[in-house]
Amino acid sequence: DTEVTQTPKHLVMGMTNKKSLKCEQHMGHRAMYWYKQKAKKPPELMFVYSYEKLSINESVPSRFSPECPNSSLLNLHLHALQPEDSALYLCASSQNRGPYEQYFGPGTRLTVT
Amino acid sequence: QQQVKQSPQSLIVQKGGISIINCAYENTAFDYFPWYQQFPGKGPALLIAIRPDVSEKKEGRFTISFNKSAKQFSLHIMDSQPGDSATYFCAANTGFQKLVFGTGTRLLVSP
């Protein structure tokens, strides 16, 4: 099973709201990723968790706050977002060893109004 | 150089034809080259991948050709079908967790 699930599929939030995106995988992967993807662009890496610890933060603004409660779950907490943060947010997972073959979820389409 | 250059930006192919997408890189430390297929509103799906010790890998109608000396690799889609219409991303990594993506190719297979 190479499935990564994400909820919700769509999210509309105001700039003063607090919301969370959720990601789950049951492939036994110990690396999990958050990406942001704008229309007609490749995914941009935001965060990487290895063994439930944050290993990479690509200088993401603090209004995005990741959390990895256990090896299967990954959350992205959102607060005080800007309209330019509207995008498709993708979660991915991989083994925590080379070649780090990443499997993506379907994404959450986020609109900030 | 951490870039992967992908071409063409868009491609129209007749049904049954061969679709070819090319990528080039500079960083010789890259050692894993996956291709992803993405349909509108969906996440990228891993299609096929290759390591630099192999010159070609085939899975069904999809083939990666790899030229290590030229630092180029390409995706060939044989007998292209309308259902193959999607955006394709090449990528590369150095054995760590960061994937470097190409800019993407929008493929349209006309019936």
Side-chain angles (χ1 to χ4, degrees):
Chain A
D1 185 8
T2 57
E3 187 175 355
V4 176
T5 59
Q6 290 186 243
T7 55
K9 289 186 179 180
H10 301 277
L11 179 62
V12 179
M13 60 185 290
M15 290 190 285
T16 58
N17 291 158
K18 287 184 180 181
K19 296 287 185 183
S20 297
L21 309 184
K22 297 185 184 303
C23 173
E24 188 168 7
Q25 58 89 13
H26 294 289
M27 293 178 278
H29 289 166
R30 299 305 297 275
M32 295 186 77
Y33 310 73
W34 280 116
Y35 286 85
K36 172 182 177 179
Q37 187 178 29
K38 296 286 239 180
K40 300 184 181 181
K41 298 290 186 183
E44 295 174 42
L45 183 64
M46 300 174 71
F47 303 103
V48 182
Y49 273 82
S50 295
Y51 297 106
E52 296 90 68
K53 298 249 186 287
L54 184 65
S55 60
I56 296 176
N57 176 343
E58 292 286 276
S59 303
V60 179
S62 60
R63 58 186 184 269
F64 295 91
S65 175
E67 178 196 20
C68 191
N70 61 52
S71 61
S72 300
L73 293 174
L74 187 65
N75 298 321
L76 185 63
H77 303 297
L78 313 172
H79 173 57
L81 295 192
Q82 304 297 310
E84 59 265 29
D85 296 322
S86 298
L88 182 67
Y89 287 84
L90 297 162
C91 173
S93 71
S94 75
Q95 297 284 359
N96 205 25
R97 62 177 187 275
Y100 297 96
E101 197 164 79
Q102 294 186 27
Y103 294 89
F104 285 81
T108 294
R109 172 68 63 189
L110 174 67
T111 303
V112 182
T113 60
Chain B
Q1 275 281 25
Q2 283 290 92
Q3 284 185 331
V4 177
K5 295 183 179 179
Q6 184 172 347
S7 63
Q9 187 174 356
S10 62
L11 180 62
I12 300 175
V13 172
Q14 296 268 3
K15 178 183 174 182
I18 302 173
S19 304
I20 301 175
I21 304 171
N22 300 299
C23 287
Y25 64 96
E26 289 295 325
N27 187 350
T28 55
F30 286 146
D31 67 354
Y32 169 68
F33 301 87
W35 284 89
Y36 285 88
Q37 177 190 56
Q38 186 174 25
F39 293 105
K42 305 292 185 185
L46 180 61
L47 194 59
I48 187 172
I50 199 167
R51 304 294 291 263
D53 53 348
V54 175
S55 61
E56 185 175 281
K57 183 174 181 181
K58 185 175 180 179
E59 288 185 5
R61 296 184 294 109
F62 300 91
T63 300
I64 300 179
S65 297
F66 190 86
N67 186 330
K68 189 173 181 178
S69 61
K71 289 184 280 187
Q72 295 175 348
F73 59 110
S74 59
L75 176 70
H76 291 65
I77 306 174
M78 313 300 287
D79 188 26
S80 299
Q81 299 296 312
D84 297 329
S85 298
T87 299
Y88 293 81
F89 292 100
C90 62
N93 84 358
T94 58
F96 295 98
Q97 292 161 328
K98 283 193 183 184
L99 270 178
V100 178
F101 284 93
T103 49
T105 296
R106 299 183 78 181
L107 171 65
L108 176 64
V109 181
S110 59

